[in-house]
Amino acid sequence: MNMSMDAKANSLTDAQQKAVTHIQGPLLVLAGPGSGKTTVVTKRIANLIANGVQPWQILALTFTNKAAKEMRERVFTLLEEQNLHARGLTVSTFHAFCARLLRDWGDRIIGTTTFTIYDTADQRSAAKAAIRACNLNDSNWKPASVLAAISSAKNKLIDADTFENEASDFYGKSVAKIYRAYENILRGNDAVDFDDLLMKTAQLLHKDAEVKQAMQDRYQYLMIDEYQDTNHTQFVIADSIAKNHRNICVVGDPDQSVYAWRGADISNILEFEDQYSDATVVPLGRNFRSTGHIVETSAKLIAFNAQRKDKKLYTELDDGNMPTVLSLESEREEAEAIVREAVRLRDEGVLLKEMAVLYRVNALSRVLEDAFRNEGMPHIVARGTAFYARQEIKQALSYLRLLVNPNDDVAFVRIVNMPTRGIGATSINRLEQLAQMRGISMLEAISEVSKERGFTARSVTSMKKFASTCHQWQVDGRSDESLTAAGSLADLVERVVRESGLEAFYAKNAGEDDLERLQNLEELVSAASEFEERLGIDDEQPPTPLHMLFSFLEHVALVSDADAVDPKNGAVTLMTLHAAKGLEFDFVAIAGLEEGVLPHERSLFENDQMEEERRLCYVGVTRARKNLLLTNARKRTQRGMTNRTMGSRFLREMAGSSLIEEVAVEQWDVPDADPPSPCEQEITTGSVVRHKRFGVGKVQRIIRRTRGSTVTVHFQGGVKHLVLEYAKLELVSNGSSTSFNGIA
């Protein structure tokens, strides 16, 4: 039975029908959100087989095992309905296909076909060994950062030799050394990493004519899903196989290309017609998912991008509810407004599992989690970890736990060498034995470590410095003078994050993961500030920061348990916009639509990055079937400081018509902080000041908060953290270039 005749019976649109029945020559399917892309892909494969193409001649590639499994099952079902077989059909992820090819031909490019594929943990261990082999300090060269640089190179087909030749600065030359050492370790262990699977396959197809011919003869029809997410190496693999017969079909949407940071190259899909000038282009613009107002809103937004293939986005569904914009006073009220809308829709019969709250960065989930928890509404953090269970947060909390309880050996072991201080596992084990023998905590046992007891000189120095830092936090945290105290709970948490080295550890690398961890640490400071405000402090007898920290840690311990999920109704999904790609929900809320959040601050001055941020927002909008809520906060607390925000440009771009309904919201009355005294107004960063007890010093930092500003001053006797309104500082000079008594 000819599939093209059956396709009409299955109510395909004219555009879908054109894509499904296309057989010979290159084909570009521009598949908009909710346009039935998977249906087109699977029916096209079935149509090829129905028209006499042998299943073993077809290769269909996608990106995830889940997508490959779904595609395979749907094709098999279609073929069974027509009494056709699929023996030999290859539906696979890129990586699985390349692994299979290298099992057959790998000896020609890597010297073996019995290689081991290193997983993430294996790669990290190999990177650590490579760093050590190059005699580089592993506290300055993080395996994750180095692996990201190596992965980026491999995705561009840059091997270790080429990388070394192109390196021009200290960082590049150092990474080149590590890259070569890393490759030597892999080859010495007959191992490859995930990126090698792609790179070695591309190199093999380029260098070995016999292998290339075998692949071209075998796979006469090539299909690639999510083509906008391919990198340069994947393009080379596909082009090598399809170059002669040119029966290549790519399906994707440049408007949904949001993985440039992971190596995806949008030019692959934008320039497909340049590579294959005889290509047939089929735009799938009809959205079967979202109601009219949502589709039109998304179309208005993405039209502001220049790097795209224009296609008319439309739907034949009802107009539906208008997307709603809420501008709230603070992030707390924003979260509560989202929860109220979720409650309203739940009461109208929408299942919780059909609701999602999306955000640009993981740090935003903390306030949202609190709001859903306070309402008692089941929720899950998808493809991520609940805020207080994240690695960097657990590390910071361990420092804080040790501060309030020096006997907490579990917290001690977690952070004594995090960030790396040169305190190895052997030293920690010896310290634990010493503590057990003396019947004291491991922190207290540091006072007895020495070279005579078998500890290295470096570990002795590092341990004693660590203990001294912890002791100083405890002294300052217990102080009731307010002058030497951290000043507030938020200041104490911020100081511990900074002086522990965690801030510098995650700040020194520009990788996406490290930047998110840094933002999460800043959000922990904001959480402490918010908790302090809710505590209801008695101004006549304010508790010390240490006492507040006891309460805060207790609060964290009690709220960090996962909520029970009702299997019938499920739970509201909290997730990043990146994680939401490919999903759909009846109700979607997008939080944090502010300049610097969405779009992200790193994109504000780069057109390419701004366009990717717009695509990311577009992806979020098009996840919604029926109800869309767009929110922002006019004030947002970051690192414990509350700042005014500016609404996202994307809101203005989506508006411009009656499509979006802006709702006025009754706001809580949040008074501004009391104005600073004239003296406080004059003191700025760089001011030279005099304190009656500590003498003359230079202001290094000022943090202004509603409950009072804090100031960090470098005195001759050391750095002090003071509450500005109580410190009674005398301004000596306001010149930032002034130096005094050797303190610059």
Side-chain angles (χ1 to χ4, degrees):
M1 179 180 179
N2 189 299
M3 185 63 186
S4 61
M5 294 176 60
D6 186 58
K8 279 290 186 184
N10 285 330
S11 302
L12 293 175
T13 67
D14 289 344
Q16 289 175 325
Q17 175 77 6
K18 184 177 180 180
V20 165
T21 56
H22 180 280
I23 294 179
Q24 295 297 324
L27 172 65
L28 168 62
V29 180
L30 295 171
S35 61
K37 170 181 67 100
T38 306
T39 296
V40 168
V41 171
T42 54
K43 288 194 173 184
R44 184 174 186 273
I45 294 173
N47 185 63
L48 289 172
I49 295 172
N51 279 277
V53 176
Q54 295 301 313
W56 54 266
Q57 293 180 309
I58 300 173
L59 171 62
L61 297 174
T62 187
F63 279 83
T64 66
N65 289 317
K66 179 182 177 183
K69 181 173 182 286
E70 180 185 2
M71 189 185 299
R72 192 180 302 112
E73 289 175 349
R74 290 177 65 167
V75 170
F76 282 20
T77 299
L78 284 171
L79 292 174
E80 285 174 6
E81 291 172 355
Q82 301 175 66
N83 294 317
L84 296 171
H85 72 85
R87 286 190 298 275
L89 173 66
T90 303
V91 180
S92 171
T93 65
F94 262 100
H95 287 87
F97 168 72
C98 291
R100 174 175 161 182
L101 188 150
L102 291 174
R103 289 296 181 200
D104 292 334
W105 307 90
D107 55 328
R108 301 189 178 199
I109 191 71
I110 54 178
T112 180
T113 59
T114 59
F115 51 84
T116 299
I117 300 174
Y118 273 8
D119 62 17
T120 304
D122 296 327
Q123 292 175 45
R124 192 180 300 114
S125 297
K128 286 181 179 178
I131 292 167
R132 289 194 299 270
C134 294
N135 296 315
L136 292 171
N137 189 331
D138 56 7
S139 64
N140 294 327
W141 295 93
K142 292 177 57 182
S145 178
V146 170
L147 286 170
I150 294 173
S151 176
S152 177
K154 290 185 177 183
N155 286 336
K156 297 171 185 173
L157 283 180
I158 299 174
D159 59 17
D161 289 338
T162 306
F163 195 101
E164 185 176 30
N165 292 336
E166 294 179 353
S168 59
D169 56 14
F170 172 75
Y171 176 81
K173 291 176 187 280
S174 298
V175 172
K177 287 171 58 180
I178 300 171
Y179 187 176
R180 183 172 298 284
Y182 175 75
E183 289 295 281
N184 289 339
I185 291 170
L186 262 59
R187 297 295 87 81
N189 288 281
D190 282 345
V192 295
D193 62 19
F194 293 129
D195 296 308
D196 279 334
L197 294 173
L198 301 179
M199 185 172 78
K200 296 302 179 184
T201 297
Q203 291 173 337
L204 179 63
L205 291 170
H206 176 71
K207 295 176 180 178
D208 196 306
E210 182 184 359
V211 176
K212 182 177 180 179
Q213 189 65 51
M215 291 299 100
Q216 290 177 342
D217 291 344
R218 164 78 190 269
Y219 297 114
Q220 293 287 311
Y221 293 86
L222 174 61
M223 294 187 66
I224 304 174
D225 193 15
E226 302 287 3
Y227 193 63
Q228 77 280 347
D229 293 336
T230 54
N231 58 36
H232 177 66
T233 305
Q234 288 160 328
F235 163 77
V236 169
I237 292 169
D239 189 60
S240 297
I241 295 173
K243 204 167 191 66
N244 287 342
H245 57 64
R246 301 174 69 78
N247 292 325
I248 178 173
C249 168
V250 300
V251 183
D253 183 5
D255 292 339
Q256 297 183 68
S257 178
V258 294
Y259 292 120
W261 55 274
R262 210 164 63 183
D265 187 350
I266 192 174
S267 67
N268 287 349
I269 191 167
L270 292 178
E271 297 172 5
F272 183 80
E273 293 166 90
D274 296 333
Q275 297 290 333
Y276 298 92
S277 58
D278 56 334
T280 298
V281 181
V282 179
L284 302 180
R286 180 179 171 184
N287 188 315
F288 293 88
R289 172 193 301 155
S290 305
T291 50
H293 286 315
I294 293 173
V295 171
E296 289 187 57
T297 298
S298 69
K300 278 188 168 295
L301 173 66
I302 203 61
F304 282 84
N305 268 11
Q307 296 185 81
R308 63 187 302 262
K309 296 275 191 180
D310 192 38
K311 58 184 176 295
K312 177 177 171 55
L313 300 173
Y314 68 99
T315 184
E316 295 186 6
L317 299 176
D318 294 338
D319 285 344
N321 297 323
M322 289 169 54
T324 302
V325 174
L326 291 181
S327 182
L328 287 305
E329 186 65 22
S330 69
E331 70 269 29
R332 190 190 308 169
E333 293 178 42
E334 177 190 39
E336 290 170 352
I338 291 171
V339 171
R340 282 197 300 271
E341 181 65 3
V343 169
R344 184 185 72 79
L345 290 171
R346 179 197 62 188
D347 293 344
E348 291 183 1
V350 179
L351 298 178
L352 298 186
K353 64 183 179 181
E354 295 297 345
M355 302 184 191
V357 183
L358 312 180
Y359 37 81
R360 175 63 178 87
V361 294
N362 275 310
L364 267 63
S365 80
R366 198 266 310 173
V367 177
L368 292 162
E369 289 177 60
D370 284 350
F372 277 101
R373 189 181 295 110
N374 292 339
E375 180 62 32
M377 181 172 284
H379 60 283
I380 56 172
V381 181
R383 299 193 196 178
T385 308
F387 182 79
Y388 290 112
R390 290 170 189 159
Q391 170 187 305
E392 63 280 3
I393 298 301
K394 290 181 76 68
Q395 290 164 353
L397 290 175
S398 291
Y399 274 102
L400 296 170
R401 281 169 48 190
L402 197 64
L403 199 160
V404 300
N405 178 15
N407 294 322
D408 190 340
D409 285 348
V410 172
F412 176 91
V413 170
R414 183 190 291 275
I415 46 90
V416 66
N417 199 41
M418 178 61 209
T420 306
R421 299 181 174 87
I423 305 172
T426 301
S427 295
I428 294 173
N429 289 336
R430 283 183 177 150
L431 181 66
E432 185 176 21
Q433 293 169 2
L434 177 61
Q436 290 174 350
M437 181 180 68
R438 303 281 288 120
I440 55 179
S441 71
M442 293 177 71
L443 182 60
E444 189 178 357
I446 287 178
S447 63
E448 300 188 20
V449 301
S450 63
K451 288 190 288 184
E452 290 73 24
R453 290 184 180 270
F455 294 89
T456 64
R458 183 184 181 189
S459 66
V460 170
T461 301
S462 297
M463 284 185 182
K464 295 209 179 272
K465 183 177 179 181
F466 175 82
S468 175
T469 300
C470 291
H471 176 71
Q472 192 59 51
W473 290 336
Q474 291 161 4
V475 170
D476 289 353
R478 290 192 185 98
S479 173
D480 57 4
E481 293 181 348
S482 294
L483 291 172
T484 58
S488 73
L489 175 61
D491 287 329
L492 179 60
V493 173
E494 186 273 338
R495 180 181 171 188
V496 168
V497 167
R498 176 166 38 86
E499 295 182 3
S500 67
L502 287 176
E503 180 182 68
F505 180 71
Y506 290 118
K508 66 186 176 187
N509 295 296
E512 190 81 11
D513 289 346
D514 285 325
L515 289 172
E516 282 213 349
R517 290 189 173 112
L518 192 61
Q519 290 170 327
N520 287 337
L521 289 172
E522 293 173 352
E523 184 61 21
L524 181 64
V525 179
S526 296
S529 178
E530 181 181 304
F531 178 81
E532 188 173 1
E533 289 178 15
R534 290 183 171 184
L535 202 57
I537 296 171
D538 183 353
D539 290 334
E540 293 184 3
Q541 285 189 318
T544 65
L546 200 60
H547 283 121
M548 286 187 284
L549 182 56
F550 271 112
S551 300
F552 178 61
L553 291 174
E554 182 179 286
H555 164 75
V556 168
L558 292 174
V559 302
S560 61
D561 292 332
D563 293 303
V565 176
D566 181 345
K568 291 184 179 179
N569 292 318
V572 180
T573 303
L574 277 56
M575 65 200 316
T576 64
L577 286 157
H578 281 105
K581 189 170 176 291
L583 303 177
E584 56 186 75
F585 304 88
D586 283 345
F587 166 58
V588 168
I590 304 179
L593 275 154
E594 300 142 26
E595 292 290 292
V597 179
L598 181 63
H600 196 280
E601 60 185 349
R602 295 196 304 275
S603 70
L604 296 180
F605 305 104
E606 294 287 340
N607 286 337
D608 287 353
Q609 291 185 32
M610 180 58 68
E611 291 211 351
E612 177 142 338
E613 291 293 303
R614 188 175 286 109
R615 292 194 292 268
L616 194 55
C617 186
Y618 170 78
V619 164
V621 169
T622 55
R623 298 311 93 195
R625 295 192 194 105
K626 301 175 182 177
N627 300 282
L628 175 64
L629 176 62
L630 308 167
T631 68
N632 62 13
R634 293 194 288 270
K635 292 179 181 177
R636 188 170 293 278
T637 303
Q638 294 175 305
R639 202 180 185 87
M641 293 180 285
T642 301
N643 299 308
R644 290 278 182 186
T645 69
M646 180 183 296
S648 171
R649 69 190 68 189
F650 300 155
L651 288 175
R652 298 189 292 276
E653 293 168 359
M654 284 184 278
S657 73
S658 60
L659 292 176
I660 290 185
E661 179 181 10
E662 294 198 37
V663 178
V665 180
E666 295 271 338
Q667 301 296 335
W668 295 344
D669 183 19
V670 182
D672 289 332
D674 293 333
S677 67
C679 180
E680 290 177 42
Q681 287 180 321
E682 294 174 6
I683 294 174
T684 61
T685 302
S687 293
V688 178
V689 295
R690 180 180 288 107
H691 182 265
K692 65 179 181 181
R693 178 174 167 189
F694 304 120
V696 177
K698 189 170 185 177
V699 175
Q700 294 183 328
R701 179 190 188 111
I702 296 178
I703 300 177
R704 301 194 183 277
R705 295 199 177 96
T706 303
R707 293 188 63 251
S709 300
T710 57
V711 58
T712 302
V713 184
H714 183 189
F715 294 103
Q716 285 180 299
V719 174
K720 300 296 181 184
H721 306 272
L722 313 175
V723 178
L724 191 53
E725 77 177 288
Y726 298 124
K728 297 180 181 179
L729 296 172
E730 176 188 345
L731 184 65
V732 176
S733 168
N734 224 343
S736 60
S737 62
T738 305
S739 62
F740 58 96
N741 294 336
I743 299 178

